[in-house]
Amino acid sequence: MTPLERAEARFGWKLVAPTIVILGLLILYPLMYNVYLSFFDVQLNGSKTFVGLENYIKLLSNADYYSAIATTSLYLLGTVVGTTLLGLAMALLLRDPFMGRGLVNAAIMLPYVAPVISVVFGWQFLFDPISGVVNYLLVDLLGLWSERSNLIGDPDSALWVVVLFDIWKHAPIAYLLILSKLVSISRDQYEAAAIDGYGPVGRFFHVTLPELYFVLATVVLLRLIWNLNRFEDVYLLAPNVETLPIFTYYQAFTGVIDQGLAAATSVIQLGVLSIFIWFYIKKIMKW
Amino acid sequence: MKINRLSIGLVAASLPFCNLASATTVEYWTTQTQSDRLQTIEIMADVFEALNPGIDVKVIAVDENDMPKQIAAAAASDTLPDMIEVGSDLSLAFAEEGIVDAKSSTELIQTLGKQRFYAGALKLVESAALNEYVSVPYSGWVQGIWYRADWFKEAGLAPPTTWEAIEAAAKYFYKPSENQYGILIGTKADNYAEQCYTQFALSNDAGQFNKDGELIFNSEAQKEVLDFYTNLAQYNPPGPQSWRARDYYLQGKLAMFFYSSYILDDIALAEAAASSLSSENFKDLKGAAFDPNLAKNTRLATTITNTSPSSFGTLVGFTMMKNDNQEEVKATKAFIQYMNEKDQVVAYSHMAVGGHLPMLRDIAETDEFLNDPKGIFAQYGKQSIKEIVAGFDSIKNFSVVDGKTFPKSGEIFAKQIIPRMIYRAAIENEPTQSVLDWAEKQMQTVIAK
């Protein structure tokens, strides 16, 4: 390295130093402090007692923790597959311009931009077992069910209502991401494929899908990260669906807060998420 | 010259802020989140500020279920409020955590006159460990089963005051095909479920602690209660239910429901009932209309008996938090004293008629209190209201055993162990014994800390 290059490198470090310091303070410090707290029993008045791995042992020996992991896996599978497929289907249907496409786009985006609390109340009202429209339609009007049921409250169906809600609310963002890539695929490729004898299905698998590969992978990755940590939608709609964030909340934040245990839970969650992302990026997306 | 002018300007501009900075601020967290109630409290605080120049009262509304979390966050960041308005269970739990100024509360109770308070109310906020009161009792409500006396009469059923009578009536009125249900008890994992359950538990002498402070929750008597409660829950509307399902009673779809004296106005006044009736909110929907005869046809059974009679209520008090700033402590004490003057107590009580029964006996018996502006107490009779309030002389909950208070019970309450136990048994159909074992283990963890 010449003296000039060294000076440039030093100058470069000086330029990025403020950003590194700010990021360090905002991200690294809370992260490390969280790891530190996970080894303590923390009292509300600030006093801490070192308990070693006790918080981790308490967590990992709790059978409910594994049940929360199973619930989270089902939730992730349902929502990620659901939103991606629905987003892809909508994007394929609406890729070509037509009269009123702007309006249709706006309507599709509505669930995504509407405040979560208002749509949750709307859903709860629809599914209310006594006065709700769903029960009224299915029991009173169509007679498809013999008695009223509480789909949101019943633990057997609650998870699927929450999955459905998530697909409905978040498919628009998948649609938007996929559509933006879809409209940029060159017509020439389709014409070439048609000349090679591919029909609509063949063109989809040999042109559209390979082109969309990275967008779809991004959608899946983002949805996985978001939904692994998603709290508000699930808790507001059906607090009895114990995904990992809800489980953490009940364990650590119900009643008098248990900061040590909460920290241990989030450290494990962070670890799992990091491994997950690394595997996904290296092995599936091959970046 | 320019600099001088600028300095003078800056000093002049900062004068109002200097004035503000020198004022003592009393930060008061209330659980009254409804806008009309908050407004009433704000007005009372404004009058206090006008009478006490130099003191600012900052009223902040916090949802009652969020209070433990918010206090935890505030304690962690050293920004605790000066006073909070919470139930006795939480006051005891916070005192256990060492963040409550019990000495000031005790002094305040002495100043106001210990003999003026209902004895049971003081008992609920007394910490045996500290030999001090952790909160100044301010208001309370009693709970019971509200029921359709006209339906009971027509069916020839006895009032729901014993386990047998309650179960028989719930079964009789449960007609899901007609969208009518027998009873409403809490089965969602929240405070309401614990409130309903506690009354049944105490009516079967199934406590949490014995008089020596040992945990005796997982007992044969407790199993009987949980079995009975789970069985009764099958006559509920479908799925996990909470207090909000009281709307179904106002819509004429329920025979009985657990509720506090807060409900008095909702049953009696059309404008109060409006939010519970869909036809009032959505004109095009087929919903129930206000029933003007509902108050007349409704009765309250406050006592439930199995092995012994039990009545249940909750006491709310002003709890002062630990604070090194003596000026703020003095100002907070002055504000709590002001809130305990007759005009404020009556105004506070009348903003939720039946829900805020005063804890000072001499005020609870005055005509000013009994003549509420909407005439709701009059509909039920002044004597019966006096009797309801006097229940605070002998009010009980899990925290108090043979006159001794066990603050750990407050922590168990805050951890929502009983609500989650109820949910697992009634909704997830787990066997009652295994759920009781689970609850006992959770309680032991809380106690061991």
Side-chain angles (χ1 to χ4, degrees):
Chain A
M1 207 182 250
T2 63
L4 185 63
E5 279 171 341
R6 264 203 299 276
E8 265 194 5
R10 267 202 303 277
F11 184 59
W13 278 110
K14 277 180 195 162
L15 285 177
V16 295
T19 314
I20 291 175
V21 170
I22 291 169
L23 281 180
L25 278 175
L26 290 177
I27 297 174
L28 221 57
Y29 171 72
L31 204 74
M32 296 322 288
Y33 190 64
N34 199 48
V35 175
Y36 166 78
L37 272 188
S38 69
F39 299 109
F40 287 86
D41 176 25
V42 189
Q43 283 281 101
L44 280 190
N45 60 11
S47 64
K48 294 190 263 299
T49 320
F50 182 75
V51 291
L53 290 172
E54 197 184 295
N55 286 322
Y56 289 94
I57 294 167
K58 200 167 134 198
L59 192 67
L60 295 174
S61 59
N62 187 345
D64 294 342
Y65 182 59
Y66 299 99
S67 144
I69 291 176
T71 309
T72 309
S73 307
L74 283 175
Y75 175 69
L76 285 178
L77 189 73
T79 53
V80 173
V81 171
T83 40
T84 313
L85 287 183
L86 188 62
L88 178 64
M90 288 194 294
L92 288 171
L93 279 173
L94 301 173
R95 70 194 289 195
D96 296 319
F98 60 91
M99 266 271 283
R101 190 165 80 157
L103 274 178
V104 174
N105 274 336
I108 288 176
M109 290 309 288
L110 206 61
Y112 186 70
V113 295
V116 64
I117 186 69
S118 56
V119 287
V120 159
F121 274 118
W123 273 61
Q124 279 175 342
F125 183 62
L126 290 174
F127 284 97
D128 185 280
I130 310 297
S131 320
V133 176
V134 173
N135 273 290
Y136 173 69
L137 273 176
L138 295 171
V139 180
D140 295 342
L141 217 58
L142 303 173
L144 294 176
W145 290 346
S146 59
E147 58 181 46
R148 283 158 192 276
S149 62
N150 189 340
L151 289 176
I152 291 184
D154 192 333
D156 295 333
S157 53
L159 174 63
W160 304 113
V161 177
V162 171
V163 168
L164 202 65
F165 176 82
D166 186 87
I167 294 173
W168 171 79
K169 183 149 176 52
H170 296 282
I173 191 68
Y175 157 73
L176 213 59
L177 288 169
I178 296 167
L179 186 69
S180 61
K181 176 67 194 167
L182 207 55
V183 291
S184 71
I185 300 175
S186 160
R187 290 269 149 206
D188 300 348
Q189 292 193 49
Y190 287 104
E191 280 165 16
I195 292 165
D196 285 347
Y198 287 115
V201 178
R203 287 202 292 273
F204 172 76
F205 281 105
H206 291 94
V207 179
T208 312
L209 215 49
E211 283 288 322
L212 286 180
Y213 182 77
F214 283 104
V215 172
L216 288 175
T218 310
V219 168
V220 169
L221 181 64
L222 283 177
R223 297 286 300 136
L224 279 175
I225 297 172
W226 289 343
N227 276 10
L228 189 64
N229 294 318
R230 189 169 298 285
F231 177 81
E232 72 281 14
D233 293 21
V234 184
Y235 184 74
L236 289 172
L237 186 64
N240 50 350
V241 176
E242 280 198 36
T243 53
L244 275 174
I246 311 282
F247 170 82
T248 311
Y249 171 79
Y250 284 135
Q251 277 293 306
F253 298 102
T254 308
V256 180
I257 201 164
D258 194 339
Q259 291 179 64
L261 188 64
T265 319
S266 52
V267 168
I268 294 183
Q269 209 164 318
L270 176 74
V272 171
L273 194 63
S274 304
I275 295 169
F276 204 36
I277 292 171
W278 174 84
F279 178 80
Y280 187 80
I281 290 175
K282 287 284 171 202
K283 304 287 167 190
I284 298 187
M285 294 179 77
K286 298 189 176 73
W287 279 354
Chain B
M1 192 64 184
K2 253 185 186 171
I3 291 169
N4 279 347
R5 260 190 221 157
L6 188 67
S7 311
I8 293 167
L10 280 174
V11 169
S14 64
L15 275 177
F17 296 102
C18 292
N19 197 24
L20 255 182
S22 69
T24 307
T25 304
V26 174
E27 193 173 316
Y28 162 28
W29 287 13
T30 174
T31 44
Q32 307 301 320
T33 48
Q34 296 84 341
S35 57
D36 51 336
R37 293 186 200 168
L38 204 54
Q39 245 170 2
T40 310
I41 293 174
E42 294 272 14
I43 291 169
M44 289 196 272
D46 288 347
V47 173
F48 176 79
E49 284 172 353
L51 293 171
N52 296 274
I55 302 182
D56 280 326
V57 180
K58 198 170 152 195
V59 184
I60 296 171
V62 179
D63 185 88
E64 99 183 279
N65 287 312
D66 288 338
M67 188 60 94
K69 290 185 284 294
Q70 297 289 352
I71 284 291
S77 58
D78 200 18
T79 53
L80 278 172
D82 296 291
M83 57 182 281
I84 55 173
E85 179 198 313
V86 284
S88 57
D89 289 306
L90 280 182
S91 301
L92 287 166
F94 294 147
E96 275 284 286
E97 290 284 324
I99 54 173
V100 163
D101 179 3
K103 190 169 156 274
S104 292
S105 292
T106 311
E107 283 167 10
L108 264 171
I109 288 171
Q110 305 288 6
T111 313
L112 290 165
K114 200 172 158 183
Q115 71 292 345
R116 291 175 66 201
F117 289 91
Y118 287 100
L122 279 181
K123 200 89 239 165
L124 290 185
V125 291
E126 187 178 359
S127 164
L130 300 169
N131 201 21
E132 281 175 328
Y133 297 110
V134 299
S135 182
V136 180
Y138 194 61
S139 73
W141 50 259
V142 282
Q143 168 188 276
I145 298 181
W146 299 82
Y147 64 101
R148 288 293 298 249
D150 52 336
W151 293 7
F152 272 67
K153 194 176 167 194
E154 204 181 293
L157 290 165
T161 54
T162 63
W163 282 25
E164 293 74 29
I166 294 167
E167 190 180 356
K171 198 171 176 180
Y172 181 86
F173 292 116
Y174 181 70
K175 294 168 185 166
S177 55
E178 295 168 28
N179 206 9
Q180 179 188 301
Y181 303 88
I183 193 167
L184 168 69
I185 52 175
T187 47
K188 195 175 172 182
D190 63 11
N191 295 351
Y192 174 74
E194 175 154 354
Q195 286 159 12
C196 301
Y197 182 85
T198 306
Q199 193 164 1
F200 282 113
L202 296 176
S203 75
N204 201 41
D205 297 303
Q208 263 175 6
F209 295 97
N210 64 13
K211 63 180 173 16
D212 301 319
E214 292 158 349
L215 186 72
I216 49 149
F217 186 76
N218 192 356
S219 62
E220 194 47 48
Q222 200 70 254
K223 188 174 180 304
E224 279 171 24
V225 181
L226 191 56
D227 280 333
F228 177 77
Y229 198 89
T230 309
N231 180 46
L232 200 57
Q234 65 177 306
Y235 308 117
N236 250 6
Q241 293 296 342
S242 186
W243 66 272
R244 189 71 230 184
R246 59 92 196 258
D247 291 358
Y248 304 144
Y249 184 83
L250 277 86
Q251 294 165 7
K253 291 165 181 165
L254 268 177
M256 296 179 278
F257 72 114
F258 264 89
Y259 217 82
S260 67
S261 37
Y262 261 111
I263 197 80
L264 286 170
D265 57 342
D266 294 86
I267 292 176
L269 305 174
E271 66 266 28
S275 68
S276 301
L277 304 166
S278 50
S279 63
E280 300 284 338
N281 296 316
F282 303 96
K283 297 283 177 222
D284 300 334
L285 280 180
K286 192 179 106 186
F290 176 68
D291 176 0
N293 293 320
L294 194 58
K296 200 178 74 192
N297 291 327
T298 296
R299 294 279 183 284
L300 170 66
T302 50
T303 308
I304 295 176
T305 308
N306 195 42
T307 54
S308 65
S310 124
S311 58
F312 178 83
T314 280
L315 166 75
V316 171
F318 290 133
T319 304
M320 288 179 64
M321 310 310 279
K322 279 233 166 101
N323 190 348
D324 294 331
N325 185 334
Q326 286 310 309
E327 280 299 307
E328 284 182 8
V329 171
K330 217 172 115 192
T332 310
K333 278 172 142 178
F335 180 65
I336 294 178
Q337 254 183 296
Y338 159 82
M339 288 296 281
N340 274 287
E341 288 169 9
K342 187 158 81 179
D343 286 349
Q344 282 70 255
V345 172
V346 170
Y348 187 94
S349 296
H350 286 172
M351 67 192 197
V353 177
H356 297 168
L357 303 169
M359 287 302 104
L360 293 169
R361 188 193 309 273
D362 50 323
I363 297 179
E365 287 174 355
T366 57
D367 279 344
E368 283 96 326
F369 163 65
L370 292 166
N371 290 327
D372 66 282
K374 291 174 183 164
I376 297 166
F377 285 152
Q379 287 202 32
Y380 295 86
K382 287 181 182 176
Q383 194 49 41
S384 60
I385 299 298
K386 279 186 190 173
E387 281 169 18
I388 290 177
V389 192
F392 276 94
D393 262 332
S394 57
I395 202 83
K396 284 176 193 155
N397 65 21
F398 277 136
S399 308
V400 183
V401 184
D402 287 351
K404 270 195 207 165
T405 307
F406 295 103
K408 282 289 178 195
S409 178
E411 287 199 47
I412 290 172
F413 169 80
K415 273 282 174 201
Q416 296 198 334
I417 296 170
I418 295 178
R420 286 187 283 152
M421 173 191 86
I422 294 167
Y423 176 81
R424 294 174 93 139
I427 301 298
E428 293 186 331
N429 300 320
E430 273 189 53
T432 47
Q433 190 53 57
S434 79
V435 181
L436 274 173
D437 294 342
W438 171 85
E440 185 186 34
K441 214 172 133 196
Q442 300 285 317
M443 288 178 186
Q444 278 164 347
T445 317
V446 171
I447 292 166
K449 287 197 84 174

